[in-house]
Amino acid sequence: MMYSLLLVNTWALVATFWNIAPPSLTFYIPLVLSVMIVLRLVTWWRSISERPDIAVALHSLKRTNLLAPIIAACFSAWCLALYPYGDAYAQGHIAFYMGITVVGCIFSLMHMLSAAFYVTAVVNIAFIVFFGFSGNQVFMAIAMNLILVSVVLLVIVSINYDRFVSLIASRRQLMQQQNELMQKQKETLELSNENYRLANLDSLTNLPNRRCFFSEFTENHASAVAGKAPLVIGLIDLDGFKAVNDMYGHAVGDKLLVSVAERLRATCQGDLLLSRLGGDEFAILISLELTDENMMQIGHNLCTVLEAPFNLAEATLSISASIGFARWQDGIDCDDLYENADFALYSAKRSRDAGSTHVVLFGKAHEARVQRTKLLEKALRSVTVADEMSVAFQPVVDVNSGAVLAFEALARWTSPTLGAVPPSDFIPAAERGGLIDRLTLMLFRQALSCAASWPGDIRLSFNLSAANIAKTDYVRGLVDEIHTYGIAPERIDFEITETAIIRDVYQAQEAIAELKRSGVRISLDDFGTGYSSLSHLHRFPLDKIKIDRSFLTNIVEKSAGYGIVKSLLNLSRDMNIGCVIEGVETEEELAIVRSLGGEMVQGYYFSRPISGDAVPAYLASSDGGISQEPAVSRA
């Protein structure tokens, strides 16, 4: 279009000067210029349907940049050479020719901004120099006008050029996305293969990620509802992975996750869709008709695969896994089904901590517990729960003197809607609902408030959950509370269960070390019920162990518990660790404990848990706290 415009304007100017200028200026020179123009026009016309490669396109653009100022200079020189031969009207035609042509060139070259600037510069400089100094005020005004118009046009063209560049970039990106697009689902049709991978695949393990899993889960659930296919969801959580991260660093942890994914992928074949939900959590979707035994077998196979050592370059690592399964049934929506699997996983982890199975299938027995847990979590979030919670105290007694050595703080909850809720119910509910830290702090403050008025030689024992010791900052906050109530840290015993230690050994070591630095003492509660008890005695700076009540069962008949209690008492003495025997309920049990050399006991034989208000009276009793009442059942 630009060359066509230039050709027409040129011969229109020739017509004005045809009879008044020499033939060289009115025929031969414009003919040569026209041939050059026609050749360029034909070249561009022939390339309209071509799609040049990058090298050819770049060469063509460079050539245009080179030719644009040369052609502009040639035409400017030719038309200005006509000036002396014309009258005022003919000279005005020259000014009009140069002005209108440069405007046309600017717009024609708007998509090649550099060439537009070259042409404008050459024509305007020639125009200004020639007409600006001609002495003719009209031409001088036209020169100034042309400059201003050219500047405005170049600004407008520059803006349009930027938009053009953005449009090309957007179009290029869109074409790339269209080339890489995968027809996975409706939302991914607008994504490229790379974007699809980032959106639906885990970048570390290349397994489907959380987003992809829930998309598939929703589709499979819809199929199950329509009766097209069965559906089972399994959630997998690695046990001991956090310790690997803490001890060896996240780089090694990532390598371990890659190896875990490879093993799981090799095991999950056929209709099993494996995904990584995040961290050390994985999930599987199963679209097969399976019996409960089949599902349990799949779970045990996966756990067995993961229990084999992982031989990495940095270290040989051993971990394990817990798995919870849930099967779709009529009336169960996606959220409930996932929650059922999550509850089964939570149950598997808790049972695994106790040394039992690590695969749990959600069943009828869990349904009532789920509903109960939901009610408990809702009630625990109530603003009145602080007024409903209280702390009871059970004495720890010296076997020989009968003197009270300490009181263990025990949480009590009487809900106006649920009634009396045992700790065995509301503590797990608080842990599962993420409320345990707030609950622990609230109960600890109540216990400290009571202990502040006790004699200085009476200690306070307080239980911490696994979630409490999972954060070092949190245990520092507990120590700050001790100072706030003006109690010497040496009077506080924090009781930690073996299950809490097993969940994250490295973090437990950090938390216990932090507590020990503050001066408090650490007791290992329910000693002997875990599966690695003895290793904890030399790994952690423990001050005391508490032998679980289960070992006192039938101790009077010299059952297996008799030998275990005897051995543990000897072990604690050899390691210079205190030992409290829990659950002493009868005089016969007390006599046997005394004969075995036990020094500290706790149980219903001495006292049921009592309120904080009753502690002073109990301490003032004449027998030092030894109960003479008949033995009571441990309800």
mmCIF file of all heavy atoms in Angstrom, residues 393-425:
data_model
loop_
_atom_site.group_PDB
_atom_site.id
_atom_site.type_symbol
_atom_site.label_atom_id
_atom_site.label_comp_id
_atom_site.label_asym_id
_atom_site.label_seq_id
_atom_site.Cartn_x
_atom_site.Cartn_y
_atom_site.Cartn_z
ATOM 1 N N PHE A 393 -6.821 -33.487 90.555
ATOM 2 C CA PHE A 393 -5.456 -33.833 90.945
ATOM 3 C C PHE A 393 -5.440 -35.187 91.654
ATOM 4 O O PHE A 393 -6.236 -35.435 92.564
ATOM 5 C CB PHE A 393 -4.868 -32.760 91.860
ATOM 6 C CG PHE A 393 -4.793 -31.402 91.215
ATOM 7 C CD1 PHE A 393 -5.835 -30.485 91.357
ATOM 8 C CD2 PHE A 393 -3.695 -31.041 90.454
ATOM 9 C CE1 PHE A 393 -5.777 -29.244 90.765
ATOM 10 C CE2 PHE A 393 -3.631 -29.789 89.853
ATOM 11 C CZ PHE A 393 -4.669 -28.886 90.010
ATOM 12 N N GLN A 394 -4.517 -36.054 91.210
ATOM 13 C CA GLN A 394 -4.335 -37.349 91.867
ATOM 14 C C GLN A 394 -2.931 -37.404 92.460
ATOM 15 O O GLN A 394 -1.953 -37.095 91.773
ATOM 16 C CB GLN A 394 -4.531 -38.502 90.888
ATOM 17 C CG GLN A 394 -4.539 -39.872 91.586
ATOM 18 C CD GLN A 394 -4.878 -40.984 90.626
ATOM 19 O OE1 GLN A 394 -4.474 -40.961 89.470
ATOM 20 N NE2 GLN A 394 -5.635 -41.972 91.084
ATOM 21 N N PRO A 395 -2.826 -37.775 93.728
ATOM 22 C CA PRO A 395 -1.520 -37.716 94.387
ATOM 23 C C PRO A 395 -0.574 -38.825 93.956
ATOM 24 O O PRO A 395 -0.995 -39.929 93.617
ATOM 25 C CB PRO A 395 -1.881 -37.849 95.870
ATOM 26 C CG PRO A 395 -3.151 -38.629 95.868
ATOM 27 C CD PRO A 395 -3.906 -38.179 94.648
ATOM 28 N N VAL A 396 0.714 -38.492 93.955
ATOM 29 C CA VAL A 396 1.792 -39.465 93.820
ATOM 30 C C VAL A 396 2.414 -39.591 95.211
ATOM 31 O O VAL A 396 2.862 -38.591 95.784
ATOM 32 C CB VAL A 396 2.843 -39.011 92.794
ATOM 33 C CG1 VAL A 396 3.987 -40.012 92.717
ATOM 34 C CG2 VAL A 396 2.202 -38.826 91.426
ATOM 35 N N VAL A 397 2.436 -40.803 95.742
ATOM 36 C CA VAL A 397 2.740 -41.017 97.160
ATOM 37 C C VAL A 397 4.040 -41.794 97.322
ATOM 38 O O VAL A 397 4.339 -42.701 96.533
ATOM 39 C CB VAL A 397 1.575 -41.766 97.839
ATOM 40 C CG1 VAL A 397 1.874 -42.004 99.320
ATOM 41 C CG2 VAL A 397 0.282 -40.980 97.673
ATOM 42 N N ASP A 398 4.792 -41.453 98.363
ATOM 43 C CA ASP A 398 5.980 -42.205 98.758
ATOM 44 C C ASP A 398 5.523 -43.484 99.449
ATOM 45 O O ASP A 398 4.781 -43.449 100.430
ATOM 46 C CB ASP A 398 6.847 -41.363 99.696
ATOM 47 C CG ASP A 398 8.158 -42.051 100.024
ATOM 48 O OD1 ASP A 398 8.131 -43.094 100.693
ATOM 49 O OD2 ASP A 398 9.207 -41.524 99.620
ATOM 50 N N VAL A 399 5.953 -44.625 98.933
ATOM 51 C CA VAL A 399 5.479 -45.908 99.453
ATOM 52 C C VAL A 399 5.836 -46.089 100.916
ATOM 53 O O VAL A 399 5.038 -46.574 101.730
ATOM 54 C CB VAL A 399 6.063 -47.063 98.614
ATOM 55 C CG1 VAL A 399 5.806 -48.398 99.296
ATOM 56 C CG2 VAL A 399 5.484 -47.051 97.222
ATOM 57 N N ASN A 400 7.018 -45.671 101.298
ATOM 58 C CA ASN A 400 7.504 -45.948 102.653
ATOM 59 C C ASN A 400 6.949 -44.980 103.690
ATOM 60 O O ASN A 400 6.510 -45.394 104.769
ATOM 61 C CB ASN A 400 9.033 -45.922 102.671
ATOM 62 C CG ASN A 400 9.618 -46.988 101.761
ATOM 63 O OD1 ASN A 400 9.196 -48.145 101.809
ATOM 64 N ND2 ASN A 400 10.578 -46.596 100.926
ATOM 65 N N SER A 401 6.941 -43.684 103.393
ATOM 66 C CA SER A 401 6.501 -42.703 104.389
ATOM 67 C C SER A 401 5.033 -42.327 104.253
ATOM 68 O O SER A 401 4.445 -41.773 105.185
ATOM 69 C CB SER A 401 7.353 -41.436 104.265
ATOM 70 O OG SER A 401 7.091 -40.781 103.016
ATOM 71 N N GLY A 402 4.440 -42.601 103.109
ATOM 72 C CA GLY A 402 3.055 -42.196 102.886
ATOM 73 C C GLY A 402 2.910 -40.730 102.567
ATOM 74 O O GLY A 402 1.785 -40.232 102.423
ATOM 75 N N ALA A 403 4.012 -40.013 102.438
ATOM 76 C CA ALA A 403 3.955 -38.574 102.162
ATOM 77 C C ALA A 403 3.605 -38.339 100.697
ATOM 78 O O ALA A 403 3.994 -39.107 99.814
ATOM 79 C CB ALA A 403 5.302 -37.933 102.491
ATOM 80 N N VAL A 404 2.862 -37.283 100.477
ATOM 81 C CA VAL A 404 2.513 -36.892 99.113
ATOM 82 C C VAL A 404 3.713 -36.188 98.479
ATOM 83 O O VAL A 404 4.224 -35.204 99.033
ATOM 84 C CB VAL A 404 1.280 -35.972 99.094
ATOM 85 C CG1 VAL A 404 1.009 -35.504 97.671
ATOM 86 C CG2 VAL A 404 0.069 -36.692 99.645
ATOM 87 N N LEU A 405 4.149 -36.701 97.340
ATOM 88 C CA LEU A 405 5.290 -36.115 96.643
ATOM 89 C C LEU A 405 4.856 -35.145 95.544
ATOM 90 O O LEU A 405 5.532 -34.156 95.276
ATOM 91 C CB LEU A 405 6.138 -37.225 96.016
ATOM 92 C CG LEU A 405 6.673 -38.292 96.988
ATOM 93 C CD1 LEU A 405 7.386 -39.394 96.209
ATOM 94 C CD2 LEU A 405 7.606 -37.661 98.005
ATOM 95 N N ALA A 406 3.737 -35.455 94.934
ATOM 96 C CA ALA A 406 3.290 -34.642 93.800
ATOM 97 C C ALA A 406 1.817 -34.913 93.534
ATOM 98 O O ALA A 406 1.225 -35.843 94.090
ATOM 99 C CB ALA A 406 4.122 -34.959 92.563
ATOM 100 N N PHE A 407 1.246 -34.077 92.687
ATOM 101 C CA PHE A 407 -0.111 -34.304 92.188
ATOM 102 C C PHE A 407 -0.062 -34.265 90.658
ATOM 103 O O PHE A 407 0.543 -33.366 90.067
ATOM 104 C CB PHE A 407 -1.076 -33.214 92.678
ATOM 105 C CG PHE A 407 -1.489 -33.376 94.111
ATOM 106 C CD1 PHE A 407 -0.833 -32.667 95.127
ATOM 107 C CD2 PHE A 407 -2.525 -34.225 94.455
ATOM 108 C CE1 PHE A 407 -1.212 -32.797 96.436
ATOM 109 C CE2 PHE A 407 -2.912 -34.361 95.778
ATOM 110 C CZ PHE A 407 -2.264 -33.647 96.778
ATOM 111 N N GLU A 408 -0.705 -35.260 90.064
ATOM 112 C CA GLU A 408 -0.833 -35.251 88.610
ATOM 113 C C GLU A 408 -2.127 -34.538 88.237
ATOM 114 O O GLU A 408 -3.201 -34.862 88.764
ATOM 115 C CB GLU A 408 -0.845 -36.664 88.033
ATOM 116 C CG GLU A 408 -1.003 -36.666 86.513
ATOM 117 C CD GLU A 408 -1.065 -38.061 85.904
ATOM 118 O OE1 GLU A 408 -0.972 -39.047 86.650
ATOM 119 O OE2 GLU A 408 -1.196 -38.153 84.657
ATOM 120 N N ALA A 409 -2.019 -33.552 87.343
ATOM 121 C CA ALA A 409 -3.193 -32.809 86.886
ATOM 122 C C ALA A 409 -3.913 -33.616 85.801
ATOM 123 O O ALA A 409 -3.302 -34.065 84.834
ATOM 124 C CB ALA A 409 -2.770 -31.446 86.330
ATOM 125 N N LEU A 410 -5.209 -33.804 85.999
ATOM 126 C CA LEU A 410 -6.029 -34.581 85.069
ATOM 127 C C LEU A 410 -7.187 -33.725 84.575
ATOM 128 O O LEU A 410 -7.906 -33.121 85.367
ATOM 129 C CB LEU A 410 -6.564 -35.842 85.754
ATOM 130 C CG LEU A 410 -5.480 -36.781 86.343
ATOM 131 C CD1 LEU A 410 -6.120 -37.852 87.192
ATOM 132 C CD2 LEU A 410 -4.658 -37.404 85.215
ATOM 133 N N ALA A 411 -7.352 -33.646 83.264
ATOM 134 C CA ALA A 411 -8.384 -32.796 82.674
ATOM 135 C C ALA A 411 -9.770 -33.403 82.878
ATOM 136 O O ALA A 411 -9.957 -34.622 82.757
ATOM 137 C CB ALA A 411 -8.107 -32.598 81.189
ATOM 138 N N ARG A 412 -10.717 -32.556 83.172
ATOM 139 C CA ARG A 412 -12.117 -32.972 83.330
ATOM 140 C C ARG A 412 -12.990 -32.007 82.534
ATOM 141 O O ARG A 412 -12.751 -30.801 82.515
ATOM 142 C CB ARG A 412 -12.535 -32.984 84.804
ATOM 143 C CG ARG A 412 -11.788 -34.013 85.657
ATOM 144 C CD ARG A 412 -12.189 -35.418 85.242
ATOM 145 N NE ARG A 412 -11.526 -36.439 86.047
ATOM 146 C CZ ARG A 412 -10.448 -37.105 85.663
ATOM 147 N NH1 ARG A 412 -9.856 -36.805 84.489
ATOM 148 N NH2 ARG A 412 -9.932 -38.050 86.421
ATOM 149 N N TRP A 413 -14.011 -32.562 81.882
ATOM 150 C CA TRP A 413 -14.915 -31.728 81.088
ATOM 151 C C TRP A 413 -16.347 -32.179 81.314
ATOM 152 O O TRP A 413 -16.687 -33.332 81.064
ATOM 153 C CB TRP A 413 -14.557 -31.825 79.612
ATOM 154 C CG TRP A 413 -15.414 -30.955 78.715
ATOM 155 C CD1 TRP A 413 -16.124 -29.850 79.073
ATOM 156 C CD2 TRP A 413 -15.636 -31.147 77.314
ATOM 157 N NE1 TRP A 413 -16.767 -29.320 77.985
ATOM 158 C CE2 TRP A 413 -16.497 -30.102 76.887
ATOM 159 C CE3 TRP A 413 -15.211 -32.087 76.389
ATOM 160 C CZ2 TRP A 413 -16.922 -29.987 75.576
ATOM 161 C CZ3 TRP A 413 -15.630 -31.961 75.079
ATOM 162 C CH2 TRP A 413 -16.476 -30.918 74.676
ATOM 163 N N THR A 414 -17.140 -31.244 81.777
ATOM 164 C CA THR A 414 -18.569 -31.486 81.928
ATOM 165 C C THR A 414 -19.299 -30.510 81.005
ATOM 166 O O THR A 414 -19.382 -29.315 81.280
ATOM 167 C CB THR A 414 -19.024 -31.295 83.370
ATOM 168 O OG1 THR A 414 -18.268 -32.175 84.227
ATOM 169 C CG2 THR A 414 -20.514 -31.611 83.514
ATOM 170 N N SER A 415 -19.801 -31.046 79.903
ATOM 171 C CA SER A 415 -20.475 -30.220 78.904
ATOM 172 C C SER A 415 -21.971 -30.154 79.196
ATOM 173 O O SER A 415 -22.579 -31.181 79.543
ATOM 174 C CB SER A 415 -20.243 -30.793 77.503
ATOM 175 O OG SER A 415 -21.084 -30.179 76.550
ATOM 176 N N PRO A 416 -22.604 -28.996 79.047
ATOM 177 C CA PRO A 416 -24.039 -28.904 79.282
ATOM 178 C C PRO A 416 -24.856 -29.692 78.265
ATOM 179 O O PRO A 416 -25.998 -30.060 78.534
ATOM 180 C CB PRO A 416 -24.317 -27.395 79.161
ATOM 181 C CG PRO A 416 -23.187 -26.846 78.370
ATOM 182 C CD PRO A 416 -22.013 -27.692 78.722
ATOM 183 N N THR A 417 -24.269 -29.992 77.114
ATOM 184 C CA THR A 417 -25.003 -30.744 76.092
ATOM 185 C C THR A 417 -24.563 -32.197 75.996
ATOM 186 O O THR A 417 -25.369 -33.076 75.683
ATOM 187 C CB THR A 417 -24.794 -30.087 74.713
ATOM 188 O OG1 THR A 417 -23.394 -30.006 74.428
ATOM 189 C CG2 THR A 417 -25.397 -28.687 74.702
ATOM 190 N N LEU A 418 -23.291 -32.475 76.276
ATOM 191 C CA LEU A 418 -22.761 -33.835 76.140
ATOM 192 C C LEU A 418 -22.586 -34.542 77.465
ATOM 193 O O LEU A 418 -22.288 -35.740 77.492
ATOM 194 C CB LEU A 418 -21.420 -33.789 75.405
ATOM 195 C CG LEU A 418 -21.432 -33.139 74.012
ATOM 196 C CD1 LEU A 418 -20.011 -33.035 73.465
ATOM 197 C CD2 LEU A 418 -22.311 -33.939 73.052
ATOM 198 N N GLY A 419 -22.712 -33.820 78.561
ATOM 199 C CA GLY A 419 -22.498 -34.414 79.871
ATOM 200 C C GLY A 419 -21.022 -34.524 80.199
ATOM 201 O O GLY A 419 -20.191 -33.773 79.678
ATOM 202 N N ALA A 420 -20.687 -35.469 81.053
ATOM 203 C CA ALA A 420 -19.290 -35.689 81.428
ATOM 204 C C ALA A 420 -18.574 -36.412 80.296
ATOM 205 O O ALA A 420 -18.940 -37.532 79.929
ATOM 206 C CB ALA A 420 -19.211 -36.488 82.718
ATOM 207 N N VAL A 421 -17.543 -35.773 79.744
ATOM 208 C CA VAL A 421 -16.800 -36.342 78.620
ATOM 209 C C VAL A 421 -15.425 -36.781 79.115
ATOM 210 O O VAL A 421 -14.667 -35.965 79.648
ATOM 211 C CB VAL A 421 -16.628 -35.314 77.485
ATOM 212 C CG1 VAL A 421 -15.966 -35.959 76.282
ATOM 213 C CG2 VAL A 421 -17.977 -34.717 77.101
ATOM 214 N N PRO A 422 -15.075 -38.052 78.968
ATOM 215 C CA PRO A 422 -13.772 -38.514 79.459
ATOM 216 C C PRO A 422 -12.633 -37.962 78.605
ATOM 217 O O PRO A 422 -12.810 -37.707 77.403
ATOM 218 C CB PRO A 422 -13.871 -40.035 79.337
ATOM 219 C CG PRO A 422 -14.901 -40.273 78.286
ATOM 220 C CD PRO A 422 -15.885 -39.142 78.402
ATOM 221 N N PRO A 423 -11.457 -37.801 79.195
ATOM 222 C CA PRO A 423 -10.299 -37.312 78.425
ATOM 223 C C PRO A 423 -9.966 -38.196 77.228
ATOM 224 O O PRO A 423 -9.467 -37.706 76.219
ATOM 225 C CB PRO A 423 -9.162 -37.307 79.456
ATOM 226 C CG PRO A 423 -9.847 -37.218 80.776
ATOM 227 C CD PRO A 423 -11.138 -37.964 80.630
ATOM 228 N N SER A 424 -10.231 -39.491 77.345
ATOM 229 C CA SER A 424 -9.936 -40.394 76.241
ATOM 230 C C SER A 424 -10.756 -40.063 75.004
ATOM 231 O O SER A 424 -10.421 -40.488 73.887
ATOM 232 C CB SER A 424 -10.201 -41.845 76.650
ATOM 233 O OG SER A 424 -11.553 -42.001 77.083
ATOM 234 N N ASP A 425 -11.846 -39.290 75.181
ATOM 235 C CA ASP A 425 -12.659 -38.855 74.043
ATOM 236 C C ASP A 425 -12.272 -37.462 73.577
ATOM 237 O O ASP A 425 -12.071 -37.225 72.375
ATOM 238 C CB ASP A 425 -14.148 -38.872 74.414
ATOM 239 C CG ASP A 425 -14.709 -40.279 74.466
ATOM 240 O OD1 ASP A 425 -14.010 -41.216 74.050
ATOM 241 O OD2 ASP A 425 -15.855 -40.444 74.939
#
